[in-house]
Amino acid sequence: MKIHNFSAGPSILPKEVFEQSAQAVLDFNGSGLSILEISHRSKDFVAVMEEARQRVRTLMQLPEHYHVLYLAGGASLQFLMTPYNLMKEQGGKAAYVDSGSWAANAIKEAKKLGTVDIVGSSKEKHYSYIPKDFTVDDSYDYFHCTSNNTIYGTQMQEFPKVPVPVCCDMSSDIFSRKLDFSQFDLIYAGAQKNMGPAGVTLVVVNEQILGKTGRTIPSYLDYQNHIAKESMFNTPPVFNVYATLLTLRHLEKTGGIEAAEKRNRAKAELLYNEIDRNDHFQTFCVKEDRSVMNVSFELLSPELKEMFDQRCKEAGISGLNGHRSLGGYRASIYNAMPIESVEVLVSVMQSL
Amino acid sequence: MKIHNFSAGPSILPKEVFEQSAQAVLDFNGSGLSILEISHRSKDFVAVMEEARQRVRTLMQLPEHYHVLYLAGGASLQFLMTPYNLMKEQGGKAAYVDSGSWAANAIKEAKKLGTVDIVGSSKEKHYSYIPKDFTVDDSYDYFHCTSNNTIYGTQMQEFPKVPVPVCCDMSSDIFSRKLDFSQFDLIYAGAQKNMGPAGVTLVVVNEQILGKTGRTIPSYLDYQNHIAKESMFNTPPVFNVYATLLTLRHLEKTGGIEAAEKRNRAKAELLYNEIDRNDHFQTFCVKEDRSVMNVSFELLSPELKEMFDQRCKEAGISGLNGHRSLGGYRASIYNAMPIESVEVLVSVMQSL
């Protein structure tokens, strides 16, 4: 039976990526060696890292003074690296938007290194909308936001113009839509949604914002070290970077970010239309802030839960459970999710 | 042609691990899903993490108050996590042994958080031996050493009894020999030599030494957080943990650490015997501290270099170059290296 994988992450990737990365585990580039046993300093892997960095540069149309890094530790380590690299040691102060659990985790880490002002929050309304209309003056070292809130299914539709460096956690919607990426100074994203397997984190950083904090930064946490070593400060997660490169190649081959956005909007529209039409379902969030990546919704008729779950199972639908903190359902419809899988889900919803 | 992979890391793993992990990338456990697209909270992956932790516990015969974690960021992140978790914020002081470049990197990070006393160093002699006969009193927060120095080919044959917690970077000889692992309080090892692919780091820690520094530790850097979340504080590197589990299963199946040690000693003896017998070669280090994992050696007759390199190439020998900081040659003969490959190298050496 075909499985329709709606998992929130790690999540579906293109089938081609699975096939090519499995092949590389057996024999990488016809070398007779597995991708798991080659040196990260080998010519073949240095080329992989170089191409993986270059493709992000091209896809995002990044200016020269931006750098692309592949690090370890997930967004959770970036929650800490962001203030370490950007918040002044003396009197450091940053502006954060609290739009969800992951944003709150980022805030928690920044508070350990300086003052954090929460300039917008939807916490009191169960994160059901994206905070807007806040002001950020130039007294802050930087501004931080989360572009997409995986759990609640909300997404920033636009980004504020602020007079300080703009940092954005794009873990769950990276490469899903066209943006002017140069409006950000720091972007990070755990790969395990739209980019590749878990175990590698993309960091894009404007070098002009670095080196200004007066802090002694531990080596691994210092973006400048990773830039100087061309993302090879220490042994990178070789396989994970390679599988990410395969995903990026696939993205370019299928039309790049613009084409992906078009497909994503079609999938989201199909699913939200059904939720709006069907009296048994509703989203957790306000309409205007709905995410094109994570469609979180609840079933309003609890007596139908068993039947709905059973029919989903029979249809091969997997990973539809909502996050344990919120309950309900969550259909993650990342780049690699085909519209056919969304159609299967919609038809099960219509069967109730 | 069969390739004999002497790479220092990432490095050779059992063929069975390549085959099984390639299969899991296509279809994990017959689920119809790739290991790259399953949730880390799925029942199947939680079982993988649990087994991978339990196997280390069994292999090392760890007491109850020890915890096994799989983290990201390599040993380089552990260089920092060690002092963060163990060095007191007020008047913190640690004793380090400087036995090689990686030890020196660990020292560099610890110095950022407190006082470091180098109680033994072979730096002035190009790290050609393991420092011994030093004393460590109980004024230190902890003691740190590196069990095997990958670059110079030296290895600690015994570990000092000291009255403070003992921390050891075992990246390049973990599971290569039987040790009383309970003599250590913190062990860490990047997986990419004896344990699995690059991208995951083993940490074994005695809970009794934690929580005593008075520091505010960033969440990702705090071992106690990872312990509380059973090594799932955030999304772990799913594939890398699974491939590590496959390697651990293979180790148990082939006789465990004791049998691996026997095989490793036979390989090392074969190679060192040839180096000692052959006037064209010598090791960089003193005899008594030679590593059973990394055999670093130089060719004493430069006029033979071209011929030696050519014959190695013809024999399918790969990854034999010494580290760029030292030059010469380095044969890394990790657990998965068959003695047949060492025989091929020895026969090329004999042909000169």
Side-chain angles (χ1 to χ4, degrees):
Chain A
M1 186 173 68
K2 171 154 178 57
I3 309 287
H4 305 285
N5 181 12
F6 288 92
S7 174
S11 52
I12 187 169
L13 293 172
K15 189 154 182 278
E16 196 177 292
V17 170
F18 299 143
E19 289 165 354
Q20 291 172 349
S21 44
Q23 175 55 38
V25 170
L26 296 173
D27 182 0
F28 175 57
N29 275 1
S31 63
L33 295 174
S34 166
I35 182 94
L36 307 187
E37 65 175 326
I38 61 163
S39 169
H40 59 295
R41 304 276 176 204
S42 65
K43 206 177 60 176
D44 277 5
F45 184 73
V46 169
V48 165
M49 179 59 93
E50 197 40 52
E51 185 186 338
R53 297 176 78 206
Q54 187 55 49
R55 281 190 185 267
V56 168
R57 185 173 280 288
T58 307
L59 279 163
M60 289 188 164
Q61 300 180 292
L62 295 174
E64 270 305 304
H65 54 287
Y66 280 64
H67 297 274
V68 178
L69 306 171
Y70 288 95
L71 306 184
S76 293
L77 193 61
Q78 296 310 311
F79 295 163
L80 154 66
M81 286 177 72
T82 303
Y84 245 121
N85 283 271
L86 301 180
M87 198 184 267
K88 290 199 173 63
E89 183 161 34
Q90 300 298 327
K93 194 171 86 159
Y96 274 70
V97 178
D98 184 8
S99 59
S101 296
W102 294 106
N105 286 341
I107 289 165
K108 185 180 163 197
E109 297 312 307
K111 279 183 173 168
K112 293 178 183 170
L113 295 187
T115 302
V116 172
D117 283 353
I118 297 170
V119 293
S121 172
S122 51
K123 188 177 177 183
E124 299 306 314
K125 297 274 187 183
H126 307 289
Y127 294 126
S128 58
Y129 68 96
I130 297 285
K132 298 172 199 80
D133 300 325
F134 42 82
T135 50
V136 177
D137 63 36
D138 63 7
S139 70
Y140 293 100
D141 295 335
Y142 65 92
F143 166 79
H144 183 281
C145 61
T146 311
S147 58
N148 187 77
N149 300 285
T150 330
I151 299 175
Y152 312 92
T154 61
Q155 189 172 27
M156 291 178 80
Q157 308 306 333
E158 52 187 38
F159 297 87
K161 302 255 172 289
V162 297
V164 296
V166 176
C167 308
C168 187
D169 176 358
M170 290 197 189
S171 292
S172 53
D173 67 353
I174 188 96
F175 298 136
S176 68
R177 57 176 170 172
K178 205 157 172 64
L179 289 173
D180 171 11
F181 292 102
S182 70
Q183 72 184 297
F184 306 98
D185 297 282
L186 172 67
I187 296 167
Y188 59 84
Q192 66 269 18
K193 281 92 155 73
N194 272 337
M195 278 195 75
V200 63
T201 308
L202 174 72
V203 172
V204 172
V205 62
N206 172 0
E207 66 183 20
Q208 294 167 346
I209 66 171
L210 300 175
K212 299 179 175 174
T213 63
R215 284 182 194 281
T216 302
I217 308 178
S219 300
Y220 191 90
L221 305 184
D222 189 341
Y223 292 130
Q224 290 185 315
N225 283 333
H226 293 285
I227 291 170
K229 299 288 186 176
E230 299 180 323
S231 203
M232 294 269 225
F233 170 74
N234 66 342
T235 312
V238 171
F239 172 82
N240 315 60
V241 172
Y242 181 63
T244 299
L245 169 60
L246 296 174
T247 311
L248 293 173
R249 282 183 187 161
H250 184 270
L251 176 59
E252 280 204 12
K253 213 175 68 178
T254 52
I257 297 180
E258 275 185 42
E261 175 170 1
K262 209 172 149 191
R263 291 189 296 269
N264 289 333
R265 294 209 181 277
K267 289 180 280 177
E269 196 183 330
L270 179 65
L271 190 46
Y272 283 121
N273 280 349
E274 177 56 26
I275 290 171
D276 289 340
R277 191 204 62 78
N278 192 323
D279 292 340
H280 297 310
F281 297 101
Q282 74 177 17
T283 60
F284 288 105
C285 72
V286 302
K287 219 162 178 173
E288 65 180 22
D289 295 329
R290 284 173 171 179
S291 167
V292 171
M293 292 278 97
N294 307 97
V295 181
S296 291
F297 59 95
E298 55 187 326
L299 177 62
L300 298 171
S301 322
E303 72 281 7
L304 295 178
K305 179 167 169 41
E306 201 177 323
M307 184 165 62
F308 180 59
D309 290 351
Q310 180 60 29
R311 287 186 186 171
C312 281
K313 198 176 163 187
E314 285 164 12
I317 289 168
S318 161
L320 198 70
N321 280 339
H323 188 268
R324 61 216 136 84
S325 65
L326 189 67
Y329 298 92
R330 172 171 52 172
S332 297
I333 51 177
Y334 296 121
N335 280 3
M337 168 66 73
I339 197 161
E340 291 73 20
S341 290
V342 181
E343 287 166 352
V344 169
L345 173 58
V346 165
S347 77
V348 172
M349 294 167 85
Q350 287 176 344
S351 78
L352 291 193
Chain B
M1 184 173 69
K2 171 153 175 59
I3 308 289
H4 305 285
N5 181 12
F6 288 93
S7 174
S11 52
I12 187 169
L13 293 172
K15 190 154 181 279
E16 196 178 293
V17 170
F18 299 143
E19 290 165 353
Q20 292 171 349
S21 44
Q23 176 55 39
V25 170
L26 296 173
D27 182 1
F28 175 56
N29 275 2
S31 64
L33 294 174
S34 166
I35 182 92
L36 307 187
E37 64 176 325
I38 61 164
S39 169
H40 59 295
R41 305 275 175 204
S42 65
K43 208 177 57 176
D44 277 6
F45 184 72
V46 170
V48 165
M49 179 60 93
E50 199 38 56
E51 185 185 338
R53 297 174 78 207
Q54 187 55 50
R55 281 191 184 267
V56 168
R57 185 174 281 291
T58 307
L59 279 163
M60 289 187 165
Q61 299 180 294
L62 296 174
E64 270 304 304
H65 54 288
Y66 280 65
H67 297 273
V68 178
L69 305 171
Y70 288 96
L71 306 184
S76 293
L77 194 61
Q78 296 309 311
F79 295 164
L80 155 66
M81 286 177 70
T82 303
Y84 245 121
N85 283 271
L86 301 179
M87 199 185 266
K88 290 201 173 61
E89 181 161 34
Q90 300 298 329
K93 194 171 86 161
Y96 275 70
V97 177
D98 184 8
S99 59
S101 295
W102 294 106
N105 286 340
I107 289 165
K108 184 180 164 197
E109 298 311 307
K111 279 183 172 170
K112 293 178 183 170
L113 295 187
T115 302
V116 172
D117 282 353
I118 297 171
V119 294
S121 172
S122 51
K123 188 177 177 183
E124 299 306 313
K125 298 271 187 186
H126 307 290
Y127 295 126
S128 58
Y129 68 96
I130 296 285
K132 298 172 201 80
D133 300 325
F134 42 82
T135 51
V136 177
D137 64 36
D138 63 7
S139 70
Y140 293 100
D141 294 335
Y142 64 93
F143 166 79
H144 182 280
C145 59
T146 311
S147 58
N148 186 76
N149 301 284
T150 330
I151 298 176
Y152 312 92
T154 60
Q155 188 172 28
M156 292 178 78
Q157 308 305 334
E158 52 187 38
F159 297 87
K161 300 253 174 290
V162 298
V164 296
V166 175
C167 309
C168 187
D169 176 358
M170 290 196 189
S171 292
S172 53
D173 67 353
I174 188 97
F175 298 136
S176 68
R177 56 177 170 172
K178 205 157 171 66
L179 290 173
D180 171 10
F181 292 101
S182 70
Q183 71 184 297
F184 306 97
D185 297 282
L186 173 67
I187 296 168
Y188 59 84
Q192 67 268 17
K193 280 92 154 76
N194 272 337
M195 279 195 75
V200 64
T201 308
L202 175 71
V203 172
V204 172
V205 61
N206 172 0
E207 66 182 19
Q208 294 167 346
I209 66 171
L210 300 174
K212 299 180 175 176
T213 63
R215 285 182 193 279
T216 301
I217 309 178
S219 299
Y220 191 89
L221 305 183
D222 189 340
Y223 292 130
Q224 290 185 314
N225 283 334
H226 293 284
I227 292 169
K229 298 288 185 174
E230 299 180 324
S231 203
M232 293 269 222
F233 170 73
N234 66 342
T235 312
V238 170
F239 172 81
N240 314 61
V241 172
Y242 181 63
T244 299
L245 169 60
L246 295 175
T247 311
L248 294 174
R249 282 183 188 162
H250 184 271
L251 176 58
E252 280 204 13
K253 214 174 69 176
T254 52
I257 297 180
E258 274 185 41
E261 175 170 1
K262 209 171 149 193
R263 290 189 296 270
N264 290 332
R265 294 207 181 277
K267 288 180 281 178
E269 197 183 328
L270 180 64
L271 191 45
Y272 283 121
N273 280 349
E274 177 57 27
I275 290 170
D276 290 340
R277 188 203 65 77
N278 193 322
D279 292 339
H280 297 309
F281 297 100
Q282 75 178 17
T283 60
F284 288 105
C285 71
V286 302
K287 219 163 178 172
E288 65 181 19
D289 295 330
R290 284 174 171 178
S291 167
V292 172
M293 292 278 97
N294 307 96
V295 182
S296 292
F297 59 95
E298 55 187 326
L299 177 62
L300 298 171
S301 322
E303 72 281 7
L304 295 178
K305 179 166 168 42
E306 201 177 324
M307 184 166 62
F308 181 59
D309 290 350
Q310 181 60 29
R311 287 186 187 170
C312 282
K313 198 174 162 190
E314 284 164 11
I317 289 169
S318 160
L320 197 70
N321 280 340
H323 189 268
R324 62 216 134 83
S325 64
L326 189 66
Y329 298 91
R330 172 171 52 171
S332 297
I333 50 178
Y334 296 121
N335 280 3
M337 169 65 74
I339 196 162
E340 290 74 18
S341 290
V342 182
E343 287 166 353
V344 169
L345 173 58
V346 165
S347 77
V348 173
M349 293 167 85
Q350 287 175 347
S351 79
L352 292 192

